[in-house]
Structure formats: C-alpha cells, structure tokens
C-alpha cells in the first residue's frame, strides 16, 4: 500500500506527448499515480513529479535526486540515461555506471525504486540504428535492478508500443494512449491489478500506399527531425526554462484526464 510516490526523469516521465485540456502534459507517471492513489483512503496519498524534458542523467542526479532524499517517498520511479544514450559517442557501459550510483542514492532515500528500460526502437526512423546501444544499456539496467532489488518497468518487451498510434506526431514521445499503456505496465511491474491489458491488440488500420507513407516520413523529418538535430548541434535543450510539475493532486489528474478522454 504505497502512500507516497515521486517520479524522476526526463520528457518521458514529464509526459511529453500527452497534453491535458490546458496544454500541460499528463503522462504515464501521473496516470500511474492515480492507479496508486485509488488503492488508498481518500486524501491519504501524495505524489510529486520532478521530471523535466531534455535532462541528461547527471542533470537528473544533481537536480532531482536530492529532492527525493528530502521527500523520502514509499516509491520513486527512475527513468534516466535515455538522452545520454542518444548522443553520438556515448558509451552505454559508462552511462550505466553513473546510473547505478544514482540508484544506490535513491535506494537509501525511498522505500522502493522502480527502474525503467529503454524502448525497442526497431521501427523508429533514425533511432533504429541505436537499437544495439539501447539493448546494451537495458542489460545493465536489469543487472543493477537485480543488485538493488528494484522492480523493472520493462518497456523493451511492451509490444503494443511498436504500433505507430502509441507515439506522438514527433515519433520521439508517446501519445496519450502510449502513456496510458506504460502506466498500466508500471502497475503490473509492482504486481498490482490493473484495469486493462497494456499489450491489448490495436484495431486494424486501413491500407496506406507506400507513397503516402513516404510523404508522411518527409513531412516528419522537416517538421520534427531537422529541428531536433539543430538543437543538438546548438547545445540547446527542449527543457531550457522548463520547471518540474512538482506536487500534484490525484483528483486534479483524474479531472484533466477525463477532460481529454
């Protein structure tokens, strides 16, 4: 019976791709917090989301991990290192060493540390070439989880997110449905009953000609890929000037989810 939960991470945990009615993001961690709160008496649950888009592992450790120590929650989710792995020349072995030091610090501050693997990028343009690097990092994450007794939110094995509809238009962040399925998988990782199967099969899509698919790929590259690469080259982050959500009420999250459902 988890009474307090803190979410730590980057854009994935902030909820980019899952906008609420006010335009602010919801995301899997907020949705997961509602699942946890539903198992507690009314008013007997606290939730804080510290995640900020674009953050690298060392930034997360410097900015967010100390806040976890202050809050001392029953549960902390830790999804970090993905932005590091995407950068050219980074070594997944070295990133994993820093990830483990962070897990050690979190394990001393929270009752349970839920760690997260990376997605299987086999169907993602550009990122599919990093699949082996991500798999190596995932192997380290699982080994670290074994050493510290952490449950694992395994996104690599979540087959339903291989569907295009699980992703936002930028193809880098999950859609609202994708975030929902990850929240359900997080509940399963903790052994909780969940209201739906996160790997539920999607309805069939109508046939699309190869030319239409190619046209969409070109539009995506122009609108999202080129600006993303440009920010990397300029040393800019989508999280510049963005602050964390902080403490959130599960009732408010329910209201915002219901408004866009």
């Amino acid at each position: 019976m988890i009474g307090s939960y803190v979410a730590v991470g980057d854009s994935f945990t902030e909820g980019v791709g899952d906008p609420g009615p006010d335009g602010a993001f919801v995301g899997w961690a907020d949705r997961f917090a509602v699942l946890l709160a539903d198992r507690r008496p009314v008013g007997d649950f606290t939730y804080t989301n510290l995640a900020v888009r674009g953050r690298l592992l060392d930034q997360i450790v410097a900015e967010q991990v100390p806040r976890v120590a202050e809050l001392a929650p029953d549960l902390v989710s830790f999804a970090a290192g993905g932005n590091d792995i995407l950068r050219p020349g980074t070594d997944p072995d070295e990133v994993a060493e820093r990830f483990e030091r962070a897990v050690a610090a979190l394990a001393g501050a929270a009752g349970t540390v839920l760690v997260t693997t990376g997605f299987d990028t086999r169907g993602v343009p550009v990122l599919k070439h990093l699949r082996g690097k991500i798999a190596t990092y995932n192997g380290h994450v699982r080994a670290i989880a074994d050493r510290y007794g952490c449950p694992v939110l395994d996104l690599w094995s979540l087959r339903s997110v291989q569907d295009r509809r699980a992703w936002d238009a930028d193809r880098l962040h999950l859609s609202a449905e994708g975030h929902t399925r990850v929240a359900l998988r997080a509940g399963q990782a903790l052994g909780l009953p969940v209201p739906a199967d996160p790997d539920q099969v999607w309805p069939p899509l109508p046939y699309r000609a190869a030319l239409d698919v190619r046209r969409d790929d070109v539009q995506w590259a122009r609108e999202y890929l080129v600006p993303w690469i440009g920010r990397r080259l300029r040393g800019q982050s989508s999280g510049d000037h963005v602050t964390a959500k902080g403490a959130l009420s599960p009732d408010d999250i329910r209201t915002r989810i219901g408004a866009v459902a």
Side-chain angles (χ1 to χ4, degrees):
M1 297 294 289
I2 296 166
S4 54
Y5 167 42
V6 175
V8 169
D10 51 29
S11 60
F12 167 62
T13 301
E14 184 188 347
V16 174
D18 182 12
D22 55 358
F25 295 115
V26 183
W28 75 269
D30 292 10
R31 294 172 180 272
F32 177 46
V34 171
L35 290 177
L36 295 172
D38 285 344
R39 300 176 60 80
R40 300 286 297 191
V42 176
D44 190 26
F45 181 83
T46 60
Y47 168 56
T48 304
N49 191 318
L50 302 175
V52 177
R53 71 198 74 168
R55 290 299 192 261
L56 298 169
L57 176 56
D58 287 348
Q59 293 173 313
I60 292 170
V61 170
E63 299 168 6
Q64 300 176 33
V65 171
R67 288 284 290 129
V68 177
E70 295 172 10
L71 295 168
D74 295 333
L75 172 70
V76 58
S77 61
F78 184 46
N83 288 326
D84 298 71
I85 296 299
L86 295 181
R87 296 206 164 194
T90 53
D91 179 0
D93 300 331
E94 188 276 330
V95 176
E97 291 177 1
R98 291 187 279 124
F99 182 90
E100 180 162 7
R101 290 195 291 271
V103 169
L106 290 170
T112 299
V113 182
L114 174 69
V115 298
T116 306
T117 70
F119 292 100
D120 185 350
T121 58
R122 73 177 81 178
V124 184
V126 181
L127 299 186
K128 63 184 177 182
H129 302 295
L130 298 173
R131 190 175 183 230
K133 195 174 178 182
I134 296 169
T136 299
Y137 186 62
N138 284 351
H140 284 299
V141 169
R142 283 194 160 280
I144 293 165
D146 287 344
R147 286 195 285 274
Y148 289 86
C150 303
V152 178
L153 173 51
D154 185 3
L155 303 176
W156 184 277
S157 68
L158 186 57
R159 293 168 297 179
S160 62
V161 296
Q162 296 299 319
D163 190 284
R164 177 68 188 84
R165 287 166 286 185
W167 295 87
D168 191 30
D170 66 4
R171 305 187 187 182
L172 297 172
H173 300 98
L174 294 171
S175 64
E177 179 63 23
H179 277 285
T180 298
R181 290 178 181 242
V182 169
L184 294 169
R185 175 54 62 90
Q188 290 179 335
L190 293 184
L192 304 178
V194 294
D197 179 6
D199 253 331
Q200 181 178 350
V201 177
W202 294 81
L205 283 170
Y207 170 78
R208 297 188 69 221
L211 181 60
D212 292 333
V213 174
R214 176 61 179 166
R215 187 181 298 115
D216 286 349
D217 288 344
V218 172
Q219 177 64 26
W220 166 77
R222 182 184 303 116
E223 188 172 351
Y224 296 105
L225 179 60
V226 172
W228 181 73
I229 293 174
R231 287 196 301 272
R232 296 298 181 277
L233 294 175
R234 294 190 298 271
Q236 296 176 335
S237 168
S238 58
D240 292 343
H241 313 299
V242 174
T243 57
K245 300 175 188 176
L248 297 171
S249 161
D251 286 338
D252 289 343
I253 297 171
R254 290 188 190 94
T255 299
R256 296 178 69 231
I257 292 173
V260 296

